[in-house]
Amino acid sequence: MIDLRSDTATRPTEGMRAAIAAAVVADEQRREDPTVNELQERAAALLGQEAALFLPTATMANQIALKLHTRPGDVLVAERLAHVVIYEYGGPAAHAGLMVEAIEGQAGRFGVAEVEAVTVPSTKVADQRATLLALENTHNASGGRCWPLAELRAVTGAARERGLATHLDGARLLNAAIATGVAPAEIGGLFDTVTLCLSKGLGCPLGALLAGPAATMERAWREKHLFGGAMRQAGIVAAAGVYALDHHVERLAEDHARARRLAEGWHRAGLPVDLDQVETNFVQLDLGALGLEREHALALLREAGVGLSSTPHPGVARAVTHLDVSDEEIDRAVGLVPDALLSRAAA
Ligand SMILES: Cc1ncc(COP(=O)(O)O)c(C=O)c1O
């Protein structure tokens, strides 16, 4: 199957496996693992922050960040379809005791006016306050869309003026940086804390980083232990992260180019793809507009040898390009998907 369900589908390359095999390791919980320490230092610099913490997943990084910036009963402001709102199993409530004020965004984004509308200053009578703004870049549910730097500056500035802390779910921050031509440190440096995922476009088997000020990351160590995320010879996995930062960042542009080629091919063949929405490595395909039931259409595509997946938008599926998808496979998918769908759509 040409697996376009997610960029989490990658398997470690030969080079990455060699780096894993050669990793120098020690006890991470004692902060003695040199490979973990190296990855954390490199990630902090990359993300425009003082320090970083290696974690097993981006979900854990986000959830730790929520706890660092809030108290139970506080309000988290985020976009309605943000990963932290719809895909983390109620973590904001379960782990940090947060209420969520979800803003309806456009392509995962919203403006200063929306932030101001939901951050009414507290009164002595009512002190249920928004204390944290979490943004997502790229925004997964809207199809890997990017925030322009000026909008990020404006929205984080407005939040700060209102006394909110700011967190960036930058699981795919490097895709955004490559697509917009802005240094990741410039984007990450606008926030109090930043999550980066290693197991998506960067091609690692697992791993994520949470970056922020050194004092905040010291507090994050405690949360890492509490979540059961303090590991031992974790350099075995961190070595993949170091390798990915050396070899898999610039090449994200290739994934973006392949997504565009796929989108243009499908569009030419008559499939409902909005080319303007293709900014990084995602292509959204509106199966509902073809008159097809989504799960049925996804099953037809699987039979034809192409894996796509669902999105939170009714009737809309997505294709995601990544390290393990070649030009040749993109060319085949350009033909296979219209062949599998258009005859049924017309019927
Ligand atoms: C935007 C975003 N944030 C966080 C995550 C969570 O990543 P993980 O699977 O490493 O927990 C994902 C995973 O898809 C994501 O897309």
Side-chain angles (χ1 to χ4, degrees):
M1 186 175 76
I2 303 169
D3 194 348
L4 299 170
R5 290 172 298 173
S6 172
D7 48 8
T8 55
T10 57
R11 291 177 179 83
T13 60
E14 286 306 312
M16 183 175 280
R17 286 173 192 269
I20 290 169
V24 180
V25 299
D27 191 338
E28 187 231 51
Q29 270 193 27
R30 295 180 192 275
R31 308 194 192 189
E32 288 171 357
D33 189 302
T35 311
V36 170
N37 292 343
E38 180 189 350
L39 176 62
Q40 290 179 161
E41 280 161 29
R42 294 219 15 209
L46 181 72
L47 300 172
Q49 298 285 347
E50 273 177 7
L53 195 57
F54 183 51
L55 295 160
T57 65
T59 298
M60 195 187 289
N62 284 339
Q63 293 300 323
I64 287 176
L66 301 186
K67 286 191 74 180
L68 293 174
H69 298 302
T70 62
R71 294 173 310 175
D74 284 355
V75 178
L76 163 68
V77 179
E79 203 276 333
R80 185 174 68 86
L81 298 177
H83 195 277
V84 78
V85 175
I86 63 169
Y87 289 131
E88 297 189 8
Y89 285 74
H95 297 303
L98 297 177
M99 305 275 290
V100 176
E101 177 77 57
I103 295 177
E104 181 78 44
Q106 289 288 333
R109 313 194 320 258
F110 47 82
V112 169
E114 284 83 0
V115 173
E116 289 179 350
V118 298
T119 52
V120 183
S122 75
T123 64
K124 289 220 162 50
V125 183
D127 195 32
Q128 181 175 305
R129 262 188 295 174
T131 53
L132 176 61
L133 172 77
L135 304 184
E136 191 175 307
N137 192 24
T138 64
H139 189 269
N140 176 344
S142 67
R145 306 293 295 274
C146 304
W147 280 79
L149 188 63
E151 288 185 29
L152 284 177
R153 278 211 186 98
V155 167
T156 54
R160 203 159 284 126
E161 268 173 32
R162 299 271 172 144
L164 277 72
T166 55
H167 172 68
L168 175 63
D169 178 354
R172 295 183 181 81
L173 171 60
L174 298 180
N175 292 86
I178 293 285
T180 58
V182 178
E186 208 171 337
I187 302 172
L190 293 173
F191 293 83
D192 294 309
T193 50
V194 184
T195 294
L196 174 72
C197 191
L198 296 169
S199 66
K200 301 191 167 66
L202 293 178
C204 298
L206 60 98
L209 290 133
L210 178 66
T216 308
M217 288 304 101
E218 277 307 309
R219 290 174 50 226
W221 260 104
R222 180 172 190 279
E223 299 297 336
K224 176 173 152 101
H225 276 267
L226 263 174
F227 272 95
M231 298 174 276
R232 298 298 182 180
Q233 286 71 32
I236 287 288
V237 189
V242 173
Y243 181 88
L245 294 185
D246 284 336
H247 297 93
H248 293 170
V249 177
E250 296 303 323
R251 66 151 306 284
L252 291 171
E254 295 172 24
D255 295 343
H256 300 176
R258 289 188 180 115
R260 179 137 293 272
R261 216 161 87 231
L262 189 66
E264 286 173 354
W266 286 351
H267 188 256
R268 263 197 313 276
L271 290 178
V273 171
D274 181 352
L275 295 178
D276 290 341
Q277 289 186 16
V278 183
E279 296 180 350
T280 57
N281 60 329
F282 286 53
V283 180
Q284 307 267 75
L285 178 58
D286 192 347
L287 297 167
L290 287 173
L292 294 171
E293 195 273 317
R294 180 167 60 190
E295 289 313 310
H296 176 58
L298 290 176
L300 289 174
L301 291 172
R302 264 197 308 278
E303 274 170 35
V306 186
L308 265 58
S309 59
S310 294
T311 74
H313 303 281
V316 177
R318 69 175 197 184
V320 187
T321 57
H322 52 77
L323 194 58
D324 287 5
V325 182
S326 65
D327 282 331
E328 184 266 327
E329 285 173 310
I330 291 295
D331 288 342
R332 278 201 287 135
V334 164
L336 286 170
V337 172
D339 285 353
L341 298 181
L342 286 174
S343 57
R344 264 92 172 185

